[in-house]
Amino acid sequence: MLKRIALLLPAAGLVLAGCEGASEPVLSVPGSQIDQLQASRHSGNPFSGSWRLTSAVVGDQELLVGTDLSWIVRFRNDGTHSVSVSNDFEFLVCKPPQDSCEWNGTYRYTGTTITFDEQNHPDPDERGEDTGYYAHCGGKWFYLDDADDGGVRLTYQRTGRGR
């Protein structure tokens, strides 16, 4: 059975919709009033496990996330997570001269949002709490944030199950 989700992003005035099977959600501005919205439904912790970043879009620009850059997020059921970035030769996250970096923190989520608290993020501007919208679809999860600054969309692919 195909999975359909629609998620209203009130702060951004955007809708995340059209998730079927392994396809990506479509991000669009609503043309008319939407009568019913539903968030994706999960049993247990939908984040638990390891996830690899496969795409990063900031505004209209897709950042190079190729075979060299490795960005892995590990979510644990106790509400903690860790991030490991390697081969960051363009220093998108890690600070020169280090092309690899790691950090950890906590997370909590609702049916539509996920909040990270990362006090030891390598970028001081990214430290502290940050809440964004998410959707799960076909073994992937999509994170949407910073709508006022052109928007950020990160796509992650599951690489392992949590314990």
Side-chain angles (χ1 to χ4, degrees), residues 66-161:
T67 56
D68 290 341
L69 181 68
S70 174
W71 180 313
I72 304 293
V73 180
R74 290 174 184 84
F75 292 99
R76 292 175 283 285
N77 286 326
D78 66 358
T80 62
H81 73 282
S82 59
V83 182
S84 173
V85 176
S86 60
N87 300 324
D88 183 10
F89 302 122
E90 295 189 30
F91 305 108
L92 299 171
V93 178
C94 303
K95 297 298 175 199
Q98 303 298 318
D99 60 18
S100 296
C101 55
E102 295 181 358
W103 66 94
N104 54 45
T106 60
Y107 72 100
R108 62 184 186 277
Y109 62 93
T110 68
T112 58
T113 63
I114 184 167
T115 300
F116 295 97
D117 188 355
E118 300 174 327
Q119 298 300 321
N120 66 342
H121 193 286
D123 183 346
D125 292 337
E126 297 295 327
R127 292 180 184 154
E129 282 197 4
D130 185 35
T131 300
Y133 297 94
Y134 76 89
H136 281 91
C137 183
K140 295 180 181 180
W141 77 277
F142 303 88
Y143 177 76
L144 303 166
D145 196 8
D146 294 328
D148 295 332
D149 294 326
V152 172
R153 185 185 79 220
L154 305 177
T155 304
Y156 294 87
Q157 178 72 44
R158 185 182 289 281
T159 61
R161 298 282 177 191

